[in-house]
Each structure stands twice: as structure tokens, then as C-alpha cells.
Amino acid sequence: FVYKARTPFHPLRLMNFFTDILFVNCRDGICSPLGPPKGEEPMSRDEKPKTDAHEYQLKRDRMLEKFGHILRSKGCMWLAGRDHLIGGWEQAGSIGEFDCAGPWMAFLPKEKWPPLNSAPGLRLVQQSDGPVLMDRRQELVFIGQQLKRDAITKALDACLLVKDDLMAPSTPLLPTIGEEDGDLSNREKEEWTKHGWKLGVNYLDDPFPRWPDEKEFAKMIGIA
């Protein structure tokens, strides 16, 4: 089945969900040329997290009891505070791998989008949900035996950002619109009121490897 949501994951809650049942390899991929924190070495794409037979059995037992036998899972994720870059996820057996999978189209200027009458452009239209979220989303495919779909869905829902996670009461600010863009339409204002609180939440506990921030990544791809 496919898990879908349009709210970012709280990074720490998501990591706790995964590490409860899997060994997780956070790869230092092409979107993170700045490297790991000082004194730490990045884990290569071929390197696997160290596993312990006893811990492996504990994780497997927890998985089977809570969620059924998840053989594989993969997809894209949106982490709170990382509104510009996609989190890529792929799991087989007891090991899951997380890395940066490039930018959301929502981050790129329109001239960088594929033509809307092309196959990639049509996919972008299908993946978009309004002028605020656009293609930012959770989309994870789970394959396995005797999967407990409701339990997996409930556990992942519990990892999503909620307004109580915010430092201040949620009153989303409307984006600054230049004169060339005109005024926001009523629909755009409604969308910002509904979804604006999900963006820019970059102060949460985040155990995932550092990625370039929006300004750094914009310079990397030549749109700064």
C-alpha cells in the first residue's frame, strides 16, 4: 500500500519510528557536499550500519508485532525545516537508507520547471496540491506480508508535524509578493492560512545529516 500525507514529518519522531524496527543508514549524498559535523566521517553508499544479532532480532520482533513483515519500503519524504529538498527512502529487509533526492519543484523558479504539456510536467501537475505545498508530500510504498496497514498509517501520522510543535502560535505570514507578481488571489490567501504554518519550521531536534540550506543549495544549482 502507499502512505500519503501533505504535512512534513517531525525529524526526530520519524527517526525514532524507523530505528525502532530497522537499522538506518543516512547516506551523505550529492545534496550534502558540506559533509558531516566536524570530527565525523560520512557513511558511504556501500557501507552498511553495523548490526548486532540480538538487536536485529529485537527490531524484527517489534516490526512483526506492530506492523507485520515489512519486506520493502521506498519513496519520498518531506522533513520539517527542509522545505526545499526531498528526503529519499529505500528499505530492504532490516536496513533502511535515507538520503537527499534533490529539490522539490516548489523550490525552483518556474523557468526551471518542465513544460506542463510534457510527461514530467503532467506528473508535476498531478503531484501538486495548491500554490503553497505544490509537490511537497509524503509518499511511501510498503510491500510485505500480513502488513498491518492501519497500524503503519497511525504510526506515521504520529510522526507528522503538529501545531503544538511550533515555537509560537501558528499565524502564517503571507509571502512577500513583488510588484511584478501582483496581489495574492483569495484562493492563495486561503491556502497560506491553511498550510503556511508547515513551512520554515527549522528549529526542531533533527538527527538526520545536515543538508545545504536554501541559500546554499540555490547557489549550488545556479539560481541564487
Side-chain angles (χ1 to χ4, degrees):
F1 80 96
V2 182
Y3 174 85
K4 296 183 179 182
R6 289 286 182 169
T7 298
F9 283 127
H10 187 298
L12 182 59
R13 289 202 290 269
L14 181 67
M15 179 63 85
N16 289 341
F17 165 78
F18 281 137
T19 56
D20 186 51
I21 58 173
L22 297 168
F23 295 94
V24 176
N25 174 8
C26 290
R27 300 191 304 214
D28 188 38
I30 59 171
C31 286
S32 188
L34 302 178
K38 186 176 180 180
E40 295 183 16
E41 292 296 325
M43 184 174 286
S44 73
R45 290 181 175 269
D46 297 324
E47 184 181 357
K48 302 300 181 184
K50 295 179 181 179
T51 62
D52 171 85
H54 178 65
E55 187 177 1
Y56 164 80
Q57 191 61 48
L58 289 176
K59 289 178 182 287
R60 186 176 186 276
D61 289 346
R62 283 196 294 265
M63 175 197 290
L64 294 174
E65 179 183 355
K66 293 181 178 181
F67 307 122
H69 193 184
I70 303 173
L71 296 172
R72 293 200 64 190
S73 60
K74 60 182 180 178
C76 62
M77 298 184 293
W78 171 21
L79 294 184
R82 305 187 186 208
D83 304 320
H84 55 311
L85 295 173
I86 302 167
W89 172 257
E90 189 167 355
Q91 169 251 331
S94 64
I95 296 175
E97 295 187 329
F98 176 88
D99 65 2
C100 175
W104 296 109
M105 283 293 163
F107 176 70
L108 300 179
K110 289 184 178 180
E111 57 266 25
K112 297 290 185 180
W113 295 358
L116 296 183
N117 59 353
S118 67
L122 291 174
R123 282 197 298 272
L124 175 60
V125 171
Q126 293 170 351
Q127 293 167 351
S128 293
D129 184 18
V132 177
L133 299 184
M134 295 187 60
D135 61 329
R136 300 181 183 98
R137 67 194 187 280
Q138 318 295 358
E139 190 167 318
L140 295 171
V141 179
F142 290 87
I143 301 169
Q145 299 172 339
Q146 298 180 325
L147 292 180
K148 300 178 182 180
R149 177 172 180 169
D150 290 346
I152 296 171
T153 299
K154 183 177 180 180
L156 286 172
D157 284 348
C159 297
L160 297 173
L161 187 72
V162 295
K163 290 184 178 180
D164 285 346
D165 294 318
L166 306 183
M167 291 180 65
S170 174
T171 305
L173 298 177
L174 297 180
T176 301
I177 303 297
E179 292 181 1
E180 70 280 3
D181 295 322
D183 295 329
L184 285 174
S185 67
N186 287 335
R187 178 173 179 267
E188 288 171 327
K189 291 179 180 178
E190 290 175 359
E191 287 290 306
W192 274 98
T193 299
K194 181 178 180 181
H195 297 296
W197 66 273
K198 302 174 183 179
L199 302 175
V201 187
N202 58 3
Y203 44 78
L204 302 173
D205 289 336
D206 187 340
F208 290 90
R210 181 179 183 269
W211 294 344
D213 62 25
E214 294 185 9
K215 291 182 179 179
E216 292 166 340
F217 190 72
K219 289 181 179 179
M220 288 171 56
I221 61 175
I223 63 172

XYZ file of all heavy atoms in Angstrom, residues 102-183:
634
model
N 17.308 15.442 -4.119
C 17.166 16.598 -4.986
C 16.080 17.551 -4.527
O 15.427 17.336 -3.504
N 15.862 18.624 -5.276
C 14.918 19.652 -4.841
C 13.469 19.333 -5.180
O 13.188 18.664 -6.170
C 15.385 20.884 -5.637
C 15.913 20.304 -6.907
C 16.585 19.008 -6.503
N 12.573 19.806 -4.327
C 11.165 19.857 -4.708
C 11.012 20.886 -5.820
O 11.681 21.918 -5.821
C 10.294 20.266 -3.522
C 10.269 19.322 -2.365
C 10.832 19.530 -1.143
C 9.629 18.044 -2.297
N 10.594 18.466 -0.313
C 9.855 17.529 -0.996
C 8.889 17.282 -3.202
C 9.364 16.304 -0.585
C 8.410 16.047 -2.795
C 8.642 15.566 -1.509
N 10.123 20.638 -6.758
C 9.850 21.625 -7.807
C 9.335 22.917 -7.195
O 9.514 24.001 -7.762
C 8.842 21.061 -8.801
C 9.435 20.060 -9.764
S 10.608 20.830 -10.895
C 11.465 19.391 -11.510
N 8.697 22.812 -6.029
C 8.186 24.007 -5.354
C 9.296 24.998 -5.044
O 9.047 26.204 -4.918
C 7.480 23.605 -4.059
N 10.543 24.522 -4.921
C 11.670 25.393 -4.593
C 12.230 26.074 -5.832
O 12.853 27.134 -5.733
C 12.772 24.559 -3.927
C 14.029 25.318 -3.638
C 14.067 26.296 -2.650
C 15.198 25.058 -4.346
C 15.235 27.003 -2.381
C 16.364 25.751 -4.084
C 16.385 26.727 -3.101
N 12.022 25.499 -6.997
C 12.645 26.004 -8.213
C 11.809 27.097 -8.861
O 10.579 27.086 -8.789
C 12.828 24.859 -9.215
C 13.698 23.689 -8.753
C 13.755 22.620 -9.839
C 15.097 24.149 -8.374
N 12.465 28.070 -9.513
C 11.710 29.070 -10.266
C 10.979 28.409 -11.429
O 11.398 27.352 -11.929
C 12.800 30.034 -10.770
C 14.066 29.246 -10.729
C 13.925 28.281 -9.587
N 9.881 29.021 -11.861
C 9.037 28.391 -12.878
C 9.781 28.103 -14.171
O 9.454 27.143 -14.877
C 7.811 29.272 -13.154
C 6.812 29.293 -12.008
C 5.570 30.092 -12.365
C 4.558 30.067 -11.214
N 3.328 30.838 -11.548
N 10.797 28.928 -14.486
C 11.531 28.682 -15.730
C 12.338 27.390 -15.675
O 12.813 26.902 -16.709
C 12.452 29.861 -16.062
C 13.460 30.209 -14.981
C 12.960 31.300 -14.044
O 11.730 31.450 -13.916
O 13.824 31.991 -13.465
N 12.512 26.826 -14.480
C 13.218 25.559 -14.325
C 12.269 24.351 -14.348
O 12.712 23.207 -14.320
C 14.016 25.540 -13.025
C 15.128 26.576 -12.938
C 16.270 26.265 -13.875
C 17.417 27.233 -13.684
N 18.555 26.927 -14.606
N 10.966 24.614 -14.370
C 10.004 23.518 -14.402
C 9.968 22.886 -15.787
O 10.235 23.561 -16.791
C 8.605 24.012 -14.050
C 8.437 24.526 -12.664
C 9.377 24.576 -11.679
C 7.248 25.089 -12.116
N 8.853 25.128 -10.546
C 7.543 25.460 -10.769
C 5.972 25.310 -12.606
C 6.596 26.037 -9.941
C 5.021 25.888 -11.780
C 5.335 26.246 -10.461
N 9.606 21.612 -15.872
C 9.419 21.005 -17.196
C 8.175 21.596 -17.860
O 7.265 22.068 -17.166
C 9.227 19.522 -16.868
C 8.695 19.509 -15.473
C 9.350 20.663 -14.771
N 8.126 21.593 -19.195
C 6.901 22.066 -19.878
C 5.689 21.297 -19.375
O 5.729 20.075 -19.243
C 7.194 21.760 -21.356
C 8.685 21.698 -21.454
C 9.160 21.142 -20.142
N 4.624 22.019 -19.078
C 3.463 21.373 -18.464
C 2.754 20.409 -19.402
O 1.949 19.593 -18.951
C 2.483 22.439 -17.963
C 3.016 23.336 -16.835
C 1.940 24.301 -16.361
C 3.536 22.508 -15.659
N 3.039 20.494 -20.715
C 2.433 19.540 -21.646
C 3.326 18.333 -21.910
O 3.026 17.495 -22.752
C 2.099 20.234 -22.976
C 3.329 20.839 -23.645
O 4.421 20.852 -23.064
N 3.147 21.345 -24.863
N 4.449 18.250 -21.170
C 5.342 17.093 -21.277
C 4.981 16.071 -20.211
O 4.232 16.365 -19.272
C 6.801 17.525 -21.109
O 7.028 17.983 -19.775
N 5.535 14.849 -20.330
C 5.259 13.816 -19.325
C 5.721 14.241 -17.934
O 4.966 14.115 -16.957
C 5.920 12.494 -19.735
N 6.965 14.800 -17.771
C 7.360 15.286 -16.437
C 6.468 16.430 -15.952
O 6.183 16.534 -14.756
C 8.803 15.759 -16.644
C 9.285 15.010 -17.840
C 8.091 14.878 -18.725
N 6.043 17.280 -16.881
C 5.170 18.388 -16.496
C 3.810 17.912 -16.017
O 3.257 18.441 -15.045
N 3.274 16.906 -16.683
C 1.987 16.345 -16.266
C 2.100 15.685 -14.904
O 1.186 15.784 -14.081
C 1.488 15.343 -17.315
C 1.061 15.941 -18.660
C 0.735 14.833 -19.653
C -0.143 16.869 -18.488
N 3.249 15.029 -14.639
C 3.458 14.427 -13.318
C 3.505 15.510 -12.244
O 2.972 15.327 -11.145
C 4.747 13.603 -13.301
C 4.623 12.244 -13.954
C 5.770 11.325 -13.541
N 7.052 11.850 -13.948
C 7.619 11.625 -15.128
N 6.982 10.883 -16.022
N 8.799 12.119 -15.417
N 4.160 16.630 -12.567
C 4.228 17.737 -11.615
C 2.831 18.247 -11.280
O 2.513 18.500 -10.108
C 5.086 18.865 -12.182
C 5.147 20.154 -11.352
C 5.705 19.885 -9.966
C 5.983 21.215 -12.074
N 1.992 18.378 -12.290
C 0.611 18.833 -12.063
C -0.123 17.835 -11.171
O -0.833 18.222 -10.229
C -0.125 19.014 -13.404
C -1.612 19.279 -13.161
C 0.499 20.160 -14.207
N 0.057 16.542 -11.451
C -0.628 15.513 -10.669
C -0.133 15.470 -9.225
O -0.899 15.165 -8.298
C -0.419 14.147 -11.327
C -1.099 14.015 -12.676
C -0.677 12.757 -13.423
O 0.252 12.058 -13.025
N -1.355 12.463 -14.523
N 1.148 15.789 -9.015
C 1.740 15.709 -7.679
C 1.516 16.981 -6.864
O 1.770 16.981 -5.657
C 3.245 15.444 -7.803
C 3.579 14.076 -8.366
C 5.031 13.946 -8.785
O 5.780 14.932 -8.816
N 5.456 12.744 -9.123
N 1.069 18.047 -7.497
C 0.939 19.333 -6.813
C -0.392 19.436 -6.075
O -1.404 18.881 -6.510
C 1.072 20.485 -7.814
O 2.386 20.547 -8.329
N -0.346 20.146 -4.961
C -1.551 20.347 -4.154
C -1.634 21.818 -3.762
O -1.359 22.181 -2.617
C -1.517 19.453 -2.920
C -2.788 19.553 -2.089
O -3.810 20.027 -2.634
O -2.758 19.187 -0.910
N -1.976 22.649 -4.713
C -2.162 24.063 -4.419
C -0.878 24.865 -4.521
O 0.223 24.328 -4.643
N -0.986 26.182 -4.433
C 0.155 27.083 -4.651
C 1.134 27.167 -3.490
O 2.202 27.762 -3.645
C -0.528 28.441 -4.883
C -1.812 28.344 -4.122
C -2.250 26.924 -4.253
N 0.811 26.608 -2.350
C 1.706 26.675 -1.193
C 2.529 25.390 -1.083
O 3.756 25.414 -1.101
C 0.921 26.924 0.103
C 1.846 26.922 1.309
C 0.179 28.251 0.013
N 1.856 24.264 -0.970
C 2.559 22.990 -0.829
C 3.162 22.538 -2.145
O 4.246 21.961 -2.181
C 1.607 21.910 -0.305
C 0.978 22.160 1.062
C 0.139 20.955 1.476
C 2.035 22.456 2.106
N 2.450 22.747 -3.228
C 2.851 22.260 -4.542
C 3.177 20.763 -4.468
O 2.340 19.984 -4.086
C 3.990 23.110 -5.092
C 3.553 24.545 -5.355
S 4.788 25.543 -6.195
C 4.994 24.647 -7.721
N 4.418 20.357 -4.804
C 4.705 18.919 -4.836
C 5.273 18.376 -3.531
O 5.608 17.186 -3.449
C 5.645 18.576 -6.003
C 7.000 19.271 -5.898
O 7.048 20.400 -5.350
O 8.001 18.722 -6.402
N 5.397 19.195 -2.500
C 5.892 18.691 -1.207
C 4.884 17.692 -0.635
O 3.703 17.988 -0.516
C 6.094 19.841 -0.224
C 7.099 20.899 -0.668
C 7.240 21.960 0.397
N 8.129 23.031 0.013
C 7.726 24.213 -0.493
N 6.434 24.443 -0.663
N 8.607 25.135 -0.807
N 5.407 16.535 -0.237
C 4.472 15.498 0.209
C 5.222 14.331 0.837
O 6.449 14.242 0.742
C 3.654 14.969 -0.985
C 4.494 14.203 -2.009
C 3.744 13.998 -3.309
N 4.469 13.123 -4.239
C 5.480 13.541 -4.993
N 5.899 14.781 -4.941
N 6.078 12.685 -5.822
N 4.454 13.437 1.463
C 4.932 12.125 1.888
C 4.315 11.100 0.943
O 3.095 11.110 0.721
C 4.509 11.805 3.326
C 4.622 12.942 4.312
C 6.048 13.400 4.551
O 6.998 12.854 4.014
N 6.215 14.436 5.360
N 5.142 10.233 0.404
C 4.639 9.171 -0.473
C 5.553 7.953 -0.319
O 6.628 7.893 -0.910
C 4.596 9.636 -1.923
C 3.869 8.681 -2.847
C 3.560 9.292 -4.214
O 3.159 10.470 -4.262
O 3.734 8.578 -5.210
N 5.125 7.022 0.507
C 5.932 5.846 0.840
C 5.171 4.578 0.484
O 4.022 4.390 0.892
C 6.265 5.845 2.333
C 7.150 6.993 2.838
C 7.206 6.987 4.355
C 8.550 6.887 2.249
N 5.823 3.715 -0.268
C 5.235 2.441 -0.677
C 5.733 1.342 0.259
O 6.942 1.225 0.496
C 5.631 2.097 -2.128
C 5.032 0.754 -2.545
C 5.190 3.201 -3.086
N 4.816 0.553 0.782
C 5.160 -0.555 1.669
C 4.765 -1.877 1.016
O 3.639 -2.028 0.533
C 4.455 -0.420 3.014
C 4.979 0.703 3.863
C 4.467 1.985 3.730
C 6.000 0.488 4.778
C 4.958 3.035 4.495
C 6.492 1.527 5.546
C 5.977 2.800 5.408
N 5.709 -2.817 1.018
C 5.493 -4.150 0.459
C 5.861 -5.163 1.533
O 6.914 -5.045 2.172
C 6.368 -4.377 -0.790
C 6.054 -3.317 -1.863
C 6.167 -5.783 -1.346
C 7.049 -3.304 -3.005
N 5.000 -6.143 1.746
C 5.323 -7.117 2.776
C 4.275 -8.184 2.924
O 3.423 -8.368 2.048
N 4.332 -8.889 4.030
C 3.424 -9.986 4.320
C 2.644 -9.675 5.591
O 3.219 -9.269 6.596
C 4.209 -11.297 4.498
C 4.977 -11.709 3.255
C 5.898 -12.886 3.506
O 6.272 -13.172 4.634
N 6.274 -13.579 2.435
N 1.340 -9.848 5.495
C 0.439 -9.599 6.631
C 0.682 -8.204 7.221
O 0.765 -8.028 8.446
C 0.611 -10.678 7.706
C 0.269 -12.075 7.209
C 0.446 -13.150 8.261
O 1.347 -13.077 9.093
N -0.424 -14.154 8.251
N 0.794 -7.238 6.331
C 1.023 -5.863 6.772
C -0.187 -5.338 7.539
O -1.338 -5.554 7.139
C 1.298 -4.956 5.572
C 2.603 -5.171 4.817
C 2.710 -4.186 3.651
C 3.797 -5.024 5.744
N 0.087 -4.642 8.615
C -0.969 -4.020 9.404
C -1.064 -2.560 8.962
O -0.482 -1.656 9.557
C -0.648 -4.137 10.896
C -0.511 -5.586 11.358
C -0.141 -5.689 12.821
C 0.036 -7.153 13.242
N 0.409 -7.274 14.684
N -1.806 -2.366 7.890
C -1.859 -1.056 7.233
C -2.303 0.044 8.184
O -1.703 1.123 8.209
C -2.799 -1.125 6.027
C -2.996 0.193 5.306
C -3.778 0.024 4.034
N -3.963 1.300 3.354
C -4.422 1.423 2.120
N -4.735 0.352 1.424
N -4.577 2.620 1.574
N -3.338 -0.216 8.945
C -3.848 0.811 9.856
C -2.804 1.183 10.904
O -2.661 2.361 11.259
C -5.129 0.331 10.547
C -6.317 0.251 9.592
O -6.216 0.815 8.482
O -7.326 -0.378 9.950
N -2.060 0.195 11.396
C -1.050 0.467 12.418
C 0.110 1.277 11.836
O 0.625 2.203 12.479
C -0.530 -0.843 13.003
N 0.542 0.926 10.615
C 1.617 1.683 9.966
C 1.178 3.106 9.716
O 1.915 4.071 9.975
C 2.033 1.001 8.644
C 2.630 -0.381 8.915
C 3.040 1.865 7.886
C 2.872 -1.212 7.660
N -0.038 3.265 9.214
C -0.565 4.601 8.928
C -0.657 5.434 10.204
O -0.254 6.610 10.231
C -1.948 4.496 8.268
O -1.827 3.793 7.027
C -2.538 5.878 8.010
N -1.165 4.835 11.275
C -1.296 5.552 12.543
C 0.071 5.960 13.082
O 0.253 7.081 13.584
C -2.024 4.676 13.559
C -2.281 5.366 14.901
C -3.067 4.453 15.839
C -3.319 5.139 17.177
N -4.088 4.242 18.103
N 1.062 5.061 12.974
C 2.401 5.368 13.475
C 3.053 6.493 12.683
O 3.700 7.375 13.259
C 3.268 4.110 13.426
N 2.882 6.480 11.364
C 3.457 7.546 10.547
C 2.708 8.859 10.747
O 3.318 9.938 10.765
C 3.449 7.135 9.077
C 4.490 6.081 8.692
C 4.272 5.607 7.260
C 5.906 6.628 8.858
N 1.407 8.789 10.905
C 0.631 10.001 11.202
C 1.133 10.653 12.485
O 1.158 11.882 12.605
C -0.861 9.677 11.334
C -1.551 9.455 9.998
O -0.945 9.763 8.948
O -2.701 8.964 10.009
N 1.531 9.826 13.458
C 2.028 10.357 14.730
C 3.385 11.029 14.578
O 3.807 11.769 15.472
C 2.111 9.234 15.767
N 4.065 10.785 13.455
C 5.357 11.424 13.184
C 5.205 12.771 12.489
O 6.191 13.514 12.362
C 6.226 10.523 12.312
S 6.686 8.952 13.058
N 4.011 13.085 12.011
C 3.797 14.337 11.294
C 3.873 15.542 12.221
O 3.559 15.457 13.414
C 2.432 14.319 10.594
C 2.228 13.259 9.505
C 0.780 13.269 9.031
C 3.175 13.486 8.330
N 4.312 16.645 11.666
C 4.348 17.905 12.404
C 2.937 18.313 12.826
O 1.977 18.136 12.065
C 4.952 18.998 11.510
C 5.228 20.361 12.140
C 6.417 20.274 13.077
C 5.492 21.402 11.040
N 2.816 18.847 14.029
C 1.545 19.395 14.508
C 1.803 20.809 15.014
O 2.938 21.186 15.295
C 0.923 18.516 15.623
C 0.542 17.145 15.084
C 1.870 18.384 16.800
N 0.749 21.574 15.130
C 0.912 22.979 15.517
C 1.506 23.125 16.918
O 2.162 24.130 17.207
C -0.432 23.705 15.414
C -0.886 23.891 13.972
C -2.164 24.701 13.875
C -2.575 24.916 12.427
N -3.816 25.710 12.303
N 1.305 22.128 17.771
C 1.899 22.182 19.109
C 3.427 22.113 19.070
O 4.089 22.438 20.064
C 1.361 21.042 19.980
C -0.066 21.290 20.445
O -0.540 22.438 20.329
O -0.711 20.328 20.912
N 3.992 21.668 17.928
C 5.454 21.620 17.792
C 6.052 22.993 17.532
O 7.272 23.173 17.666
C 5.859 20.710 16.620
C 5.507 19.256 16.863
O 5.707 18.777 17.990
O 5.055 18.588 15.906
N 5.238 23.966 17.164
C 5.742 25.275 16.781
C 6.162 26.085 18.009
O 5.615 25.924 19.097
C 4.684 26.046 15.989
C 4.101 25.338 14.763
C 3.117 26.243 14.044
C 5.195 24.863 13.815
N 7.129 26.965 17.813
C 7.638 27.775 18.918
C 6.643 28.831 19.346
O 6.660 29.284 20.478
C 8.952 28.457 18.491
C 10.112 27.496 18.314
S 11.641 28.322 17.802
C 11.977 29.332 19.254
N 5.801 29.255 18.412
C 4.817 30.296 18.707
C 3.485 29.873 18.109
O 3.437 29.016 17.217
C 5.266 31.633 18.123
N 2.373 30.447 18.590
C 1.080 30.128 17.991
C 1.121 30.322 16.486
O 1.761 31.245 15.976
C 0.127 31.125 18.668
C 0.785 31.447 19.957
C 2.263 31.422 19.686
N 0.467 29.427 15.776
C 0.539 29.444 14.318
C -0.316 30.550 13.724
O -1.534 30.499 13.762
C 0.080 28.090 13.767
O 0.021 28.128 12.370
N 0.349 31.579 13.218
C -0.319 32.625 12.453
C 0.505 32.813 11.192
O 1.439 33.619 11.152
C -0.390 33.957 13.233
O -1.011 33.716 14.494
C -1.179 35.000 12.451
N 0.255 32.011 10.159
C 1.115 32.017 8.988
C 1.173 33.392 8.321
O 0.156 34.047 8.131
C 0.455 30.986 8.060
C -0.951 30.869 8.533
C -0.901 31.110 10.005
N 2.388 33.812 8.034
C 2.578 35.077 7.344
C 2.421 34.872 5.850
O 2.936 33.908 5.283
C 3.978 35.632 7.649
C 4.263 35.965 9.121
C 5.712 36.419 9.255
C 3.322 37.039 9.619
N 1.735 35.788 5.198
C 1.623 35.708 3.750
C 2.976 36.040 3.142
O 3.708 36.885 3.659
C 0.567 36.692 3.245
C -0.863 36.439 3.729
C -1.799 37.486 3.153
C -1.333 35.060 3.332
N 3.339 35.395 2.052
C 4.631 35.675 1.430
C 4.682 37.088 0.880
O 3.655 37.679 0.544
C 4.691 34.642 0.305
C 3.265 34.373 -0.034
C 2.528 34.440 1.282
N 5.882 37.635 0.831
C 6.055 38.953 0.236
C 5.974 38.815 -1.275
O 6.728 38.065 -1.891
C 7.424 39.542 0.617
O 7.483 39.629 2.041
C 7.592 40.932 0.025
N 5.076 39.528 -1.881
C 4.867 39.439 -3.317
C 5.400 40.695 -3.982
O 5.060 41.813 -3.590
C 3.359 39.280 -3.661
C 2.799 38.053 -2.962
C 3.146 39.191 -5.166
C 3.429 36.747 -3.406
N 6.257 40.516 -4.964
C 6.793 41.668 -5.688
C 5.737 42.302 -6.578
O 4.707 41.699 -6.892
N 6.009 43.528 -7.002
C 5.033 44.237 -7.826
C 4.733 43.478 -9.112
O 3.619 43.513 -9.624
C 5.561 45.640 -8.149
C 5.644 46.557 -6.927
C 6.151 47.941 -7.309
O 6.412 48.146 -8.508
O 6.263 48.789 -6.414
N 5.762 42.773 -9.622
C 5.563 42.069 -10.885
C 4.643 40.869 -10.727
O 4.086 40.353 -11.684
C 6.914 41.599 -11.446
C 7.588 40.471 -10.690
C 8.318 40.914 -9.435
O 8.259 42.127 -9.108
O 8.966 40.069 -8.784
N 4.467 40.396 -9.498
C 3.624 39.232 -9.262
C 2.177 39.604 -8.954
O 1.310 38.737 -8.949
C 4.186 38.409 -8.090
C 5.545 37.823 -8.411
O 5.738 37.401 -9.557
O 6.415 37.820 -7.521
N 1.929 40.857 -8.654
C 0.581 41.266 -8.322
C 0.175 40.823 -6.935
O 0.992 40.353 -6.148
N -1.106 40.941 -6.625
C -1.606 40.570 -5.308
C -1.953 39.088 -5.263
O -2.210 38.443 -6.280
C -2.860 41.390 -4.976
C -2.553 42.872 -4.846
O -1.421 43.182 -4.428
O -3.417 43.695 -5.181
